[in-house]
Amino acid sequence: KIINTFSTLSKVGLDYRDALAGSIAAQKLAIATQGDADSIAQSLALTYKLLGNTITGATTPTEKMELVAGQLFDLWKKGGLDINELSTSIKDFAATANIMNFSANQTIAIMSALGSAGVQGSRGALQLRASLFRLIEAQDKLDLSKLGLATIPNEKPFETLIRVLERIQELSKNKNSVIPKEVLDIFGGTRGSFPIEALNKALPILKDNLISASRDPERYWQNLNKSVN
């Protein structure tokens, strides 16, 4: 198994030492969560390759992958998530996250929140990708005014998404938590708005995930180490 995970991490351009360290991190997370080490290694590799420059609280490739592994362990333990589904969703969403200028923390937080709402794996990644592109299109066409929101020039997609989710919560309070028609129009109907509806329900979890990610990042890896040692 460690040969497979080492090979996966080597393919993203890591040197021998960092690929070995990442492989060990993937193995530890797999042991702690009873997950698939290869799936976890792919997630770590793509997160580092595409979003590594956004990882805060760590400097070297080894530290960054250990931090991500520790964050995944923390969310798994806290949210009762399927670690393989979470790893798959992050792996499949990483390229979109890179295009959308999401940070690694934002990517991990949003995919785990979707998972908590029951939208997991590749399905969650692909559906959220489609919704985000519709959101950008709506912003370009100034359609956010339908929700009573201003279009903010150069606003990052993640920040726009959070504003939209908060606005949906306000609008839903007066409609027995039913997603308003204006939202359905922006995201292409009931099917297109499905991941947005899921994130709307999981918004407190998403915000908590973001706050947790900013606290004492070293503790994530320490907690993962304690669980397997």
Side-chain angles (χ1 to χ4, degrees), residues 171-179:
L171 294 171
S172 300
K173 286 178 183 177
N174 302 322
K175 299 186 178 183
N176 297 319
S177 298
V178 175
I179 294 293

Side-chain angles (χ1 to χ4, degrees), residues 36 68 77 79 86 98 133 165-166 170 179 184 216:
D36 180 76
V68 170
K77 186 171 63 173
L86 179 58
N98 184 38
F133 278 110
L165 291 173
E166 289 175 340
E170 293 174 7
I179 294 293
L184 298 179
D216 188 18

Side-chain angles (χ1 to χ4, degrees), residues 52-113:
N53 63 328
T54 72
I55 296 174
T56 57
T59 305
T60 67
T62 293
E63 290 172 347
K64 289 181 177 182
M65 286 183 291
E66 288 176 348
L67 175 57
V68 170
Q71 285 180 306
L72 294 177
F73 174 68
D74 184 71
L75 291 169
W76 170 83
K77 186 171 63 173
K78 183 170 61 176
L81 299 168
D82 183 311
I83 193 65
N84 295 330
E85 293 283 3
L86 179 58
S87 295
T88 297
S89 66
I90 292 171
K91 172 178 68 69
D92 290 349
F93 187 70
T96 302
N98 184 38
I99 293 171
M100 298 284 178
N101 291 316
F102 280 26
S103 69
N105 281 345
Q106 290 168 342
T107 301
I108 293 169
I110 200 168
M111 298 318 297
S112 60

Side-chain angles (χ1 to χ4, degrees), residues 96 99-100 128-138:
T96 302
I99 293 171
M100 298 284 178
L128 182 59
R129 177 183 184 275
S131 292
L132 285 170
F133 278 110
R134 288 193 182 100
L135 178 61
I136 290 174
E137 184 180 359

